[in-house]
Amino acid sequence: MRPRKLAVAALIALLGSGANAAEITLKAVSAFGHDTFFNQRFKTFVDKVNAEGKGIMKIQVVGGPEAIPPLEVGNALRTGVVDFANTTGVFHANLVPEAIAGSLAEKPMAELRANGGHALLDRIHREKANMVWLARVSEGLQYHIYTNKKVDGGNFAGMKLRSVPVYRGFFQSLGATPLQVPPGEVFTALERGVVDGYGWPSVGIFDLGWQEKTKYRVEPGFYNVEVGFYMNQNTWKKLDDAQRAFLDKQIAWVESENVKDLKAAEAEKARQAGAKIESIAVPAAQADAFRARAYDAGWKGIEQASPQHVAKLRELFGNGR
């Protein structure tokens, strides 16, 4: 009996080690600061995965922008330094210029999944940067131009605006000079007059303290702020069927949370008003042209970098303008 008991014990130990081996730990990073708006949904997602994924999947957050600068997150994903990231295609447009299409999207993510838009941009990410585009975790939030100088009739000529690639071409088309300034240096740049304003989403300026140096928010907004979850393709290929099914379920849940973004934007604008940030509108007769110029400049940038993909991306992501 003793040898049989030993054999049973060995089998139990083997099964136990197999169960542990089935749980995968994903090293993750966020391009956004711990307590900022664009990190909140990621934190909730991580907590949910870790609570419900015991024996299947665990996410270990190894840091934020203090660990990997935002513009280097894409390369860290590509090379497998990290497995998973909360970031935006804007930050890895040097690797995947087509990723800017996420910010130019005028269709909701559910439609992009149905019409093939998500599949196309995901395939481009896999081919060009060894990344998988898992989820979009912002929806319907716009960018705005914020300034500390009053804009007369939508005239930005001669203004110096902090920019990133997604709207650099648009700012140039307005006659402004776009300057790339890291988020951590924008406050000082405003204070010293290095820039007269900046582009930023409709939420998040209080996270960075920029409201202290901001006097105006220009309406209308433009684009559709894209923040998403991206994964190293090699790690994704290692997932077994149960792990992929679990991850798909969590992705479906987190994208369902995007409906909360519009209320967040409304609350933020009210808060900005309370902080004496004045809303100034481009004259009504020019508002449509202002937005059209934004989209034309954005798609032109993609066309220059990716002439083979731009037409299909514009068809699937745009509204036919």
Side-chain angles (χ1 to χ4, degrees):
M1 294 294 294
R2 187 172 180 183
R4 181 176 296 177
K5 287 182 179 179
L6 288 172
V8 171
L11 179 61
I12 291 172
L14 180 61
L15 291 173
S17 68
N20 289 336
E23 181 178 276
I24 187 169
T25 297
L26 305 177
K27 293 181 296 181
V29 69
S30 179
F32 306 98
H34 183 74
D35 294 320
T36 61
F37 177 86
F38 290 110
N39 199 56
Q40 292 172 8
R41 196 156 294 151
F42 173 62
K43 286 165 57 179
T44 304
F45 176 83
V46 169
D47 290 344
K48 189 171 185 291
V49 167
N50 289 344
E52 298 177 9
K54 297 189 186 307
I56 303 172
M57 182 176 294
K58 177 181 178 182
I59 298 178
Q60 178 188 359
V61 180
V62 297
E66 76 289 345
I68 301 178
L71 295 177
E72 296 179 19
V73 168
N75 202 46
L77 267 178
R78 181 184 65 82
T79 57
V81 172
V82 293
D83 304 302
F84 191 104
N86 174 48
T87 184
T88 168
V90 172
F91 290 162
H92 58 251
N94 60 318
L95 300 174
V96 188
E98 299 89 346
I100 297 296
S103 298
L104 302 178
E106 296 178 84
K107 295 170 183 172
M109 189 61 168
E111 186 173 347
L112 293 176
R113 287 191 179 278
N115 74 4
H118 167 265
L120 174 58
L121 193 52
D122 175 48
R123 176 171 63 81
I124 294 170
H125 273 85
R126 293 178 189 232
E127 292 173 353
K128 288 197 168 185
N130 196 33
M131 278 192 250
V132 177
W133 182 27
L134 289 176
R136 182 178 189 126
V137 292
S138 64
E139 191 87 78
L141 298 173
Q142 296 182 315
Y143 287 102
H144 287 271
I145 299 175
Y146 298 84
T147 72
N148 52 23
K149 294 181 178 179
K150 193 155 191 175
V151 179
D152 180 20
N155 180 14
F156 296 86
M159 294 189 72
K160 297 171 293 183
L161 299 176
R162 182 263 178 183
S163 178
V164 290
V166 66
Y167 39 75
R168 180 181 295 120
F170 174 44
F171 285 1
Q172 288 174 328
S173 77
L174 294 173
T177 300
L179 299 174
Q180 189 157 310
V181 180
E185 299 176 18
V186 171
F187 185 95
T188 302
L190 289 165
E191 190 173 48
R192 296 179 178 176
V194 174
V195 295
D196 304 309
Y198 53 91
W200 195 257
S202 49
V203 296
I205 68 169
F206 291 90
D207 296 337
L208 301 160
W210 295 353
Q211 77 281 359
E212 294 181 20
K213 300 297 177 184
T214 304
K215 294 181 180 180
Y216 306 100
R217 183 190 68 252
V218 178
E219 298 283 355
F222 56 95
Y223 298 166
N224 183 358
V225 178
E226 178 271 322
V227 174
F229 293 163
Y230 295 82
M231 191 170 181
N232 173 270
Q233 183 173 205
N234 296 338
T235 302
W236 185 85
K237 287 179 177 178
K238 293 177 184 177
L239 301 181
D240 62 27
D241 290 344
Q243 290 163 345
R244 289 190 186 180
F246 174 75
L247 185 58
D248 287 345
K249 178 183 175 182
Q250 301 303 320
I251 292 302
W253 169 80
V254 78
E255 286 191 344
S256 74
E257 293 289 286
N258 290 347
V259 296
K260 298 177 180 179
D261 285 346
L262 291 180
K263 287 186 178 180
E266 292 173 3
E268 174 87 0
K269 288 185 177 182
R271 188 180 179 191
Q272 290 179 15
K276 306 264 193 264
I277 296 174
E278 181 183 345
S279 171
I280 53 175
V282 172
Q286 301 174 27
D288 287 345
F290 177 83
R291 284 179 53 81
R293 178 179 287 185
Y295 284 94
D296 287 345
W299 285 115
K300 182 177 180 180
I302 294 179
E303 181 179 19
Q304 291 171 342
S306 182
Q308 71 274 35
H309 291 302
V310 66
K312 194 62 178 177
L313 286 168
R314 193 164 190 172
E315 173 192 337
L316 297 175
F317 283 75
N319 71 351
R321 72 172 75 243

